Amino acid sequence: MSLSLNHLKTLESEAIYVIREAAAQFQNPCILFSGGKDSIAVTYLAKKAFYPAAIPFPLIHIDTGHNFPETIAYRDQLVASLGVRLIVGSVQESIDKARVAEEKGFNASRIRLQTTTLLDTIEEFKFDCALGGARRDEEKARAKERFFSHRDEFGQWDPKNQRPELWNLFNGRKHVGEHFRVFPISNWTELDVWQYMAMEGIELPSLYFAHKRKVFERDGVLLAESEHIPMKPTEQPTEQLVRFRTIGDITSTGATVSAAATIDEIIQEVASTRVTERGGRADDKRSETSMEDRKKEGYF
Amino acid sequence: MYCLTTQYSLLNTNRMFDSNSYLNMELMRFTTAGSVDDGKSTLIGRLLYDSKSIFEDQLENIKATSERRGESYVNLALLTDGLRAEREQGITIDVAYRYFSTPKRKFIIADTPGHIQYTRNMVTGASTANLAIILVDARNGVVEQTRRHSLIASLLGIPHIAVCINKMDLVDYSQEQYDKIVRDYRDFAARLKVKDIHFLPISALHGDNVVTRSAKMPWYEGVTLLYLLETVHIAGDTNHIDARFPVQYVIRPYNDEFHDYRGYAGRLSGGVLRPGDKVTVLPSGFQSTIKAIELDGKQLEEAFAPMSVTILLNDDIDISRGDMIVRDNNKPQVEQDIEAMICWMGDQPLRPGGKYALKHTTRDARAVVKDIKYKLDISTLHRITENPEIAANDIGRITVRTTAPLMYDPYTRNRETGSFILIDEGTNVTVGAGIILD
């Protein structure tokens, strides 16, 4: 008899522990669901954590309105199969209510605008905890993130003044109006997520697998042809065999040329790749600390 | 200057694993301790680079930043310094987590800064580590910092220590110098409780004995650092003797199919539990037997630490979060007066007679500080008993009394049931890390 767990089972156990801890310590948690593989993993782990009871919190989707149609189809199917509540926070509504102003120009993006919609949604539904699929290996500011990450009454993150996190003791105490972001898969890498998906046989949106699509290159990033992205006269879309390594807003999610059509092929590809996942994210290329700046304001 | 050319081929072969081999990989956590210029960043950079965990765009990014700042070499510290203030000031403020893997193991590095908030950060990084790398500069030998790092590693019960005597290239790869440092360290470490110490002569800059064996030190017959990290026995680091199941959450489905279902959700902090086991629930003392252990509807034949599972009992008894399920014949101590070493992290010093919120396993209580016995001089291990004041980054011995009994084991027996944190009730900030003594 061997009393040892492999690394994926160890990470799974840790994530389930964190999710259950969030359910126990907070009055009104929610899961931030983007339709990407990381938030799918968190949702799947939450289902495991509470079975046979339903996931005791709703899914929140902050919708920029610039979606891949595949993401929305997957989201609706998942929500139906899990029997959870879905709350959509709409960036378009925030723009219509003049809470935020649309960015102008070719590189206009609604990424930064999401923060206002997200914080408004958290306030409207009085969520005191939002679980997210952020991982520390994704980005250098995220490498400093806690499992239980405190947000002040303005939704801000103060990276220089974080609570120490010792052993497995998570301090979720807060004042009225403050909330927490909780990241159950903090310790997972991109490869871990894929290996876990393969091990568990989790179904994923088709965007992650190789498919033919019209794409064009801008600033070294391959973007999908879409009504939401105005093209410059010099930009010519061509049809290529591509897949997406991350899935977010269509205006800032870069495609990779790839023939990987199965999870096993993706694992092989990720294991040998030489560029980080977010290397294809236009939103992170804006400045060296753009993620940290967005996170301080209350971004995911 | 960091050489990025050597050993590149190694991981090209490493990464070509077959599709299912990762199912046998273990997870290992280690922390790195070192003072400012001992080459910690270079060593981490070396491990990440040689394990192919630094990506091209990351490397491009830090190359560009280094050039822009007029630095004459690629500054690998930029990889771990993620925050704007850290990059601007060239210091590391907070614990950063780094990941790499080889076909044998996945590694989590808790990279702790050398000077600012030093004890706080190292204690945080050390609290869950299987192994600590302690870097010693071969030119300077065992210094005060080495002693501080080693004391914290021993106090936090890190099972394995790798003392890396770095910059061997700067002492002409001298065996004599290496042997002297090993002797000095052993003399000092004899006073610490460390189970397993390894010594390695390395040069992180040139890669000697980090991933590949050094041709310059034929006198060294030991293993490389990566080999040690991949093979040191960690399955035994978890307590598999004393079954401890702190109840985290009670699962009640409220639907027709599972009408009477009552599952106790939690993660084992120690030991093994199986269906049919006779158990006691603490602190109430009610007894029952385990009806089933499951996760996601799948029945398990056994559960062991650190598995997250759901336990069902044969009797309907009142159990809630903060209770602990244990075997009838192996119980933890149940006390309200707790003797502990405290690592202080609060901006305000520990208040004698002060009241704090306390978290222990899944249990919340309040605690009053009854007594401060002494403060530890972290460099000399000397005990300061006269008016000891425990301020930020100090370590001392205290007695606390709690409002509710804690079900605990001594820290040396179980790191999870033997630890607690103190929280300032006004600011809600975590101010102390407690290590329960025998």
Side-chain angles (χ1 to χ4, degrees):
Chain A
M1 182 186 64
S2 156
L3 297 181
S4 78
L5 292 179
N6 72 22
H7 77 295
L8 296 173
K9 286 286 176 191
T10 309
L11 292 170
E12 177 193 65
S13 169
E14 177 179 85
I16 289 175
Y17 174 81
V18 173
I19 292 168
R20 286 168 165 176
E21 206 55 23
Q25 290 199 31
F26 299 102
Q27 301 282 326
N28 191 19
C30 62
I31 294 179
L32 300 175
F33 186 81
S34 69
K37 65 179 188 315
D38 299 325
S39 60
I40 292 169
V42 170
T43 307
Y44 179 85
L45 289 158
K47 172 196 157 260
K48 274 199 162 187
F50 301 108
Y51 186 90
I55 298 175
F57 10 85
L59 301 188
I60 305 298
H61 182 217
I62 301 304
D63 182 0
T64 61
H66 297 166
N67 297 298
F68 291 100
E70 293 90 335
T71 307
I72 301 300
Y74 181 92
R75 178 196 77 186
D76 293 345
Q77 196 192 345
L78 183 74
V79 165
S81 73
L82 291 174
V84 291
R85 186 171 160 219
L86 173 73
I87 295 171
V88 178
S90 159
V91 175
Q92 187 61 51
E93 251 173 57
S94 302
I95 294 168
D96 295 346
K97 287 185 196 157
R99 294 276 297 125
V100 290
E102 186 101 73
E103 290 183 5
K104 305 270 190 319
F106 284 107
N107 288 319
S109 150
R110 290 182 167 181
I111 292 296
R112 195 158 191 151
L113 310 187
Q114 284 178 290
T115 302
T116 303
T117 311
L118 170 61
L119 294 176
D120 286 354
T121 308
I122 286 173
E123 209 168 296
E124 181 187 344
F125 291 89
K126 298 193 166 45
F127 293 120
D128 56 356
C129 164
L131 291 122
R135 310 187 323 262
R136 288 171 179 155
D137 83 315
E138 269 181 276
E139 204 281 333
K140 52 194 182 290
R142 284 190 168 161
K144 307 268 166 169
E145 206 27 295
R146 301 292 191 263
F147 279 100
F148 270 44
S149 183
H150 179 256
R151 296 291 185 275
D152 68 13
E153 68 267 43
F154 300 102
Q156 297 181 109
W157 181 53
D158 181 3
K160 285 193 279 182
N161 195 21
Q162 300 196 78
R163 296 177 183 177
E165 216 155 67
L166 299 134
W167 299 290
N168 301 297
L169 296 167
F170 300 123
N171 173 3
R173 287 173 63 109
K174 61 186 177 344
H175 294 293
V176 177
E178 298 176 343
H179 75 277
F180 270 77
R181 300 289 171 84
V182 171
F183 304 110
I185 59 167
S186 288
N187 278 332
W188 299 41
T189 60
E190 183 187 11
L191 196 54
D192 295 330
V193 174
W194 283 114
Q195 291 173 345
Y196 185 72
M197 298 281 176
M199 186 174 84
E200 299 287 302
I202 300 171
E203 202 184 310
L204 286 161
S206 54
L207 293 167
Y208 282 113
F209 303 98
H211 58 282
K212 283 201 173 135
R213 180 180 290 268
K214 282 199 165 171
V215 292
F216 67 95
E217 195 178 322
R218 179 183 293 173
D219 299 334
V221 177
L222 276 186
L223 292 171
E225 184 190 42
S226 153
E227 53 174 330
H228 302 300
I229 318 173
M231 275 191 285
K232 298 172 189 169
T234 51
E235 291 168 338
Q236 286 301 322
T238 55
E239 191 175 79
Q240 295 197 45
L241 191 60
V242 296
R243 67 176 206 89
F244 293 91
R245 278 179 82 188
T246 70
I247 294 178
D249 178 280
I250 202 164
T251 64
S252 61
T253 305
T256 15
V257 174
S258 165
T262 65
I263 291 191
D264 282 339
E265 285 167 16
I266 290 174
I267 290 173
Q268 290 298 337
E269 183 185 284
V270 170
S272 57
T273 189
R274 299 299 296 137
V275 181
T276 58
E277 214 179 349
R278 297 194 75 93
R281 292 287 283 249
D283 43 335
D284 288 347
K285 294 205 165 180
R286 290 194 165 189
S287 93
E288 207 178 304
T289 52
S290 53
M291 174 64 91
E292 180 185 348
D293 297 341
R294 287 207 306 273
K295 276 178 68 67
K296 280 180 181 164
E297 291 170 356
Y299 187 70
F300 301 100
Chain B
M1 155 86 207
Y2 191 70
C3 321
L4 292 171
T5 46
T6 55
Q7 298 165 4
Y8 185 77
S9 59
L10 175 91
L11 264 293
N12 284 334
T13 49
N14 254 356
R15 280 293 183 124
M16 296 302 278
F17 45 62
D18 70 84
S19 55
N20 285 320
S21 61
Y22 61 81
L23 293 174
N24 297 318
M25 279 165 63
E26 281 180 310
L27 179 71
M28 181 192 194
R29 298 169 205 259
F30 68 92
T31 179
T32 51
S35 38
V36 187
D37 293 318
D38 52 17
K40 186 158 63 79
S41 296
T42 317
L43 179 64
I44 291 174
R46 171 61 73 185
L47 284 169
L48 293 177
Y49 190 81
D50 285 352
S51 63
K52 227 181 153 203
S53 309
I54 297 178
F55 293 99
E56 274 165 15
D57 54 323
Q58 284 177 309
L59 198 61
E60 294 291 311
N61 184 298
I62 62 165
K63 265 185 193 161
T65 306
S66 295
E67 272 169 31
R68 197 166 62 240
R69 295 160 150 214
E71 290 165 345
S72 56
Y73 58 93
V74 177
N75 185 351
L76 281 159
L78 291 171
L79 273 175
T80 44
D81 294 343
L83 303 174
R84 182 195 296 274
E86 294 177 323
R87 294 163 90 86
E88 281 169 4
Q89 295 167 41
I91 53 162
T92 310
I93 290 168
D94 202 1
V95 184
Y97 296 89
R98 290 279 148 199
Y99 304 85
F100 73 99
S101 56
T102 69
K104 292 195 177 73
R105 280 182 179 167
K106 171 196 164 101
F107 298 96
I108 302 178
I109 313 175
D111 181 21
T112 59
H115 41 157
I116 294 179
Q117 291 283 15
Y118 167 72
T119 303
R120 163 188 159 146
N121 287 319
M122 180 159 172
V123 168
T124 302
S127 69
T128 53
N130 301 99
L131 179 143
I133 291 179
I134 292 180
L135 277 162
V136 177
D137 187 324
R139 294 168 301 177
N140 307 329
V142 175
V143 296
E144 186 183 324
Q145 286 278 27
T146 320
R147 288 193 282 269
R148 293 170 69 103
H149 298 153
S150 304
L151 169 72
I152 291 171
S154 113
L155 195 66
L156 271 289
I158 299 181
H160 315 279
I161 289 188
V163 181
C164 289
I165 294 150
N166 190 25
K167 305 196 183 181
M168 287 300 293
D169 51 313
L170 299 182
V171 295
D172 294 330
Y173 299 101
S174 156
Q175 181 180 10
E176 197 184 332
Q177 178 70 1
Y178 170 76
D179 287 343
K180 180 185 175 304
I181 295 169
V182 171
R183 265 196 317 276
D184 289 352
Y185 191 92
R186 282 195 193 281
D187 285 349
F188 159 75
R191 291 186 287 161
L192 303 173
K193 289 179 201 151
V194 180
K195 294 167 199 155
D196 184 31
I197 305 183
H198 302 261
F199 296 91
L200 304 98
I202 66 165
S203 165
L205 188 60
H206 300 290
D208 296 276
N209 292 332
V210 178
V211 171
T212 47
R213 290 190 59 88
S214 169
K216 308 227 174 61
M217 292 178 274
W219 47 264
Y220 172 68
E221 289 170 350
V223 298
T224 64
L225 179 60
L226 187 64
Y227 184 86
L228 178 71
L229 293 172
E230 283 186 316
T231 55
V232 68
H233 181 69
I234 54 170
D237 295 354
T238 308
N239 179 323
H240 287 135
I241 298 161
D242 313 307
R244 303 284 183 260
F245 186 78
V247 175
Q248 226 187 332
Y249 188 86
V250 181
I251 295 177
R252 309 235 33 199
Y254 298 108
N255 63 32
D256 291 343
E257 192 186 347
F258 296 98
H259 192 72
D260 293 320
Y261 186 98
R262 207 180 158 80
Y264 304 106
R267 182 159 73 154
L268 277 95
S269 298
V272 187
L273 288 171
R274 296 187 183 86
D277 282 353
K278 290 182 176 166
V279 292
T280 299
V281 181
L282 295 172
S284 68
F286 290 132
Q287 294 184 316
S288 185
T289 49
I290 294 180
K291 183 167 140 193
I293 302 178
E294 56 181 48
L295 183 68
D296 197 25
K298 289 185 190 67
Q299 304 301 310
L300 305 174
E301 285 171 24
E302 63 179 9
F304 53 88
M307 286 168 70
S308 283
V309 294
T310 303
I311 290 181
L312 289 88
L313 300 181
N314 279 313
D315 301 275
D316 203 2
I317 47 184
D318 181 29
I319 301 176
S320 52
R321 174 175 166 86
D323 291 352
M324 189 184 276
I325 297 173
V326 302
R327 277 176 200 265
D328 283 359
N329 58 2
N330 180 332
K331 291 179 187 157
Q333 303 189 52
V334 184
E335 302 274 352
Q336 279 177 268
D337 293 293
I338 310 287
E339 293 282 323
M341 296 302 288
I342 191 94
C343 304
W344 198 250
M345 302 169 173
D347 294 334
Q348 304 296 319
L350 173 72
R351 300 186 308 274
K355 294 187 180 71
Y356 297 91
L358 178 147
K359 272 188 180 291
H360 171 257
T361 66
T362 56
R363 203 167 175 76
D364 286 294
R366 295 182 74 213
V368 56
V369 179
K370 302 290 276 188
D371 187 24
I372 300 177
K373 295 225 159 73
Y374 58 82
K375 177 167 104 172
L376 209 56
D377 182 319
I378 300 174
S379 306
T380 61
L381 303 186
H382 181 68
R383 293 172 182 183
I384 302 158
T385 51
E386 219 163 295
N387 300 321
E389 187 194 65
I390 298 179
N393 296 308
D394 285 342
I395 296 173
R397 179 165 172 179
I398 61 169
T399 308
V400 296
R401 183 168 174 82
T402 56
T403 49
L406 304 187
M407 287 76 77
Y408 73 89
D409 297 287
Y411 187 84
T412 49
R413 190 152 179 93
N414 188 321
R415 289 164 89 184
E416 287 189 30
T417 57
S419 56
F420 63 85
I421 56 171
L422 294 181
I423 298 164
D424 184 297
E425 293 182 308
T427 62
N428 290 331
V429 169
T430 304
V431 287
I435 291 162
I436 304 177
L437 300 168
D438 290 294

